[in-house]
Amino acid sequence: MSSTDSAAPRRTALDALHRSLGATMTDFAGWDMPLRYGSERDEHVAVRTRAGLFDLSHMGEITVTGPDAAALLNHALVGNIASVGVGRARYTMICRADGGILDDLIVYRLAETEYLVVANASNAQVVLDALQERSAGFDAEVRDDRDAYALIAVQGPESPGILKSLTDADLDGLKYYAGLPGTVAGVPALIARTGYTGEDGFELFVKPEHAVELWQALTEAGAPVGLVPCGLSCRDTLRLEAGMPLYGHELTTELTPFDAGLGRVVKFEKEGDFVGRAALQEAADRAASRPPRVLVGLVAEGRRVPRAGYPVVAAGEVIGEVTSGAPSPTLGRPIAMAYVDAAHAAPGTAGVGVDIRGSHEPYEVVALPFYKRQK
């Protein structure tokens, strides 16, 4: 189905396979995606302790090529993309002229003048339009490659062993945030050591016609070590425990990277001007002197689960807002990320609660992330 057909949810190349596995499907950013296959808690625990297999084919791939590809991306994005080595990747953002975040991205440098930009599904068209608009005057082509890729992720401590059994690519030499071309189970793939779970793992970019074959090979190779198929629901609790932001929750056009505590992705020292530079410099100065609200972690003292939009309170006053909340299988308690007034942002701050339907439930303020894997 074409990327421009918005009449019905799009289906990935693995759609029939998900249904055959009994997946609960949901409309996510215009795609029919698996929410869970069985228990989302079991899927979450599998990724933390063994391995999980995800279909991420809803993500938006955009290829940027040409002599000015690096210069265009340096102008269009906030990061220093020209300094990324071939075979490496970088987490970055694309902002509006006023500094508001349009999306957070991963950019892979595939060759000297070729980059793969991976956008969130909900923002893929916005990012594509912005890059094409910002490419004026640059000798570079911005190509919509959303239909050219399926994306399968294997995540968790057993994932290197599973993948090693299917490829002769040098996985031991593949650093975090790097990618290399290789063959997995006979399928040509871009093998990237990236993920959104807080665990070691890999994301495999392949042609859609190879997706089912690769999924089945990974399922078979992972069976002896307890790999299970995983849906978007556990992906959300995994990224929340790892303190990773989700667009539309921790990141929006109303916020700059500095508001989100991610000012490090903005590289003012790079050559040339870039979209949003002046506004972001102001935001950086503001954050350094008097930060407005700060993104923090909250851990429940009770059992009630906070949800996005719930007020954070102290001494009867609203001091912030929950952006993401869920039960944490790893901590055994509900957790949340929230923007709170700087005066209440220090870990251990007393008297902070979340207003859950009129009841002020006590929460502990903690530093993010909630979970960090042992290296």
Side-chain angles (χ1 to χ4, degrees):
M1 188 180 284
S2 156
S3 287
T4 55
D5 187 344
S6 57
R10 281 177 258 161
R11 296 184 171 193
T12 78
L14 293 160
D15 183 79
L17 195 149
H18 298 316
R19 292 169 196 277
S20 76
L21 292 171
T24 300
M25 305 296 286
T26 188
D27 183 344
F28 182 81
W31 289 83
D32 227 358
M33 297 297 294
L35 192 61
R36 69 181 74 82
Y37 297 84
S39 152
E40 57 202 51
R41 187 185 183 284
D42 290 349
E43 291 171 23
H44 179 112
V45 171
V47 176
R48 286 275 177 262
T49 59
R50 305 186 306 277
L53 193 57
F54 297 82
D55 178 11
L56 305 180
S57 303
H58 60 312
M59 300 296 280
E61 294 87 5
I62 301 160
T63 302
V64 180
T65 56
D68 289 350
L72 162 59
L73 290 170
N74 260 16
H75 164 71
L77 312 180
V78 302
N80 188 352
I81 308 305
S83 69
V84 178
V86 173
R88 298 308 302 265
R90 184 153 298 165
Y91 175 78
T92 188
M93 296 184 187
I94 182 167
C95 290
R96 302 190 305 194
D98 67 0
I101 303 165
L102 286 172
D103 201 13
D104 61 337
L105 313 164
I106 295 181
V107 180
Y108 298 88
R109 189 170 196 164
L110 304 182
E112 197 58 38
T113 58
E114 182 181 3
Y115 295 83
L116 180 66
V117 178
V118 181
N120 285 297
S122 55
N123 296 327
Q125 191 63 48
V126 168
V127 174
L128 178 69
D129 292 346
L131 286 175
Q132 287 177 335
E133 185 183 310
R134 295 173 188 188
S135 69
F138 291 93
D139 186 3
E141 181 197 352
V142 176
R143 188 172 72 233
D144 181 0
D145 269 347
R146 282 177 285 179
D147 292 338
Y149 290 103
L151 179 55
I152 295 173
V154 55
Q155 299 279 302
E158 297 286 356
S159 57
I162 293 167
L163 207 53
K164 275 181 190 176
S165 71
L166 297 173
T167 184
D168 57 6
D170 178 18
L171 299 186
D172 290 334
L174 187 64
K175 295 185 173 73
Y176 188 50
Y177 267 73
L180 83 173
T183 304
V184 182
V187 170
L190 169 64
I191 304 168
R193 199 162 208 155
T194 45
Y196 194 49
T197 62
E199 297 298 334
D200 192 8
F202 302 86
E203 296 183 321
L204 308 170
F205 295 83
V206 299
K207 289 182 176 175
E209 58 265 33
H210 293 148
V212 170
E213 177 188 348
L214 179 58
W215 180 281
Q216 289 172 333
L218 287 162
T219 299
E220 200 173 306
V225 292
L227 172 137
V228 300
C230 293
L232 293 181
S233 190
C234 85
R235 190 166 180 254
D236 191 49
T237 53
L238 288 159
R239 70 91 196 167
L240 177 55
E241 286 184 351
M244 294 175 167
L246 174 64
Y247 195 88
H249 290 255
E250 288 72 41
L251 309 176
T252 71
T253 51
E254 305 308 307
L255 297 167
T256 73
F258 294 94
D259 296 320
L262 290 165
R264 65 181 181 275
V265 305
V266 182
K267 304 300 182 187
F268 293 115
E269 71 277 10
K270 65 180 174 176
E271 279 183 36
D273 196 14
F274 61 92
V275 177
R277 178 192 272 274
L280 288 167
Q281 187 65 68
E282 283 179 26
D285 296 342
R286 204 163 53 240
S289 58
R290 44 179 180 85
R293 284 183 167 175
V294 179
L295 188 64
V296 300
L298 298 174
V299 178
E301 292 181 18
R303 311 302 307 171
R304 298 187 71 184
V305 178
R307 298 295 181 194
Y310 284 11
V312 181
V313 292
E317 299 288 314
V318 173
I319 58 153
E321 186 176 296
V322 171
T323 53
S324 297
S328 164
T330 304
L331 275 64
R333 290 196 281 170
I335 60 172
M337 285 200 273
Y339 282 107
V340 302
D341 293 347
H344 295 86
T349 300
V352 172
V354 176
D355 184 340
I356 301 182
R357 299 190 182 89
S359 170
H360 290 190
E361 301 288 329
Y363 272 73
E364 180 189 356
V365 180
V366 300
L368 292 169
F370 301 96
Y371 166 86
K372 205 165 191 176
R373 72 181 171 96
Q374 301 300 307
K375 296 292 183 194

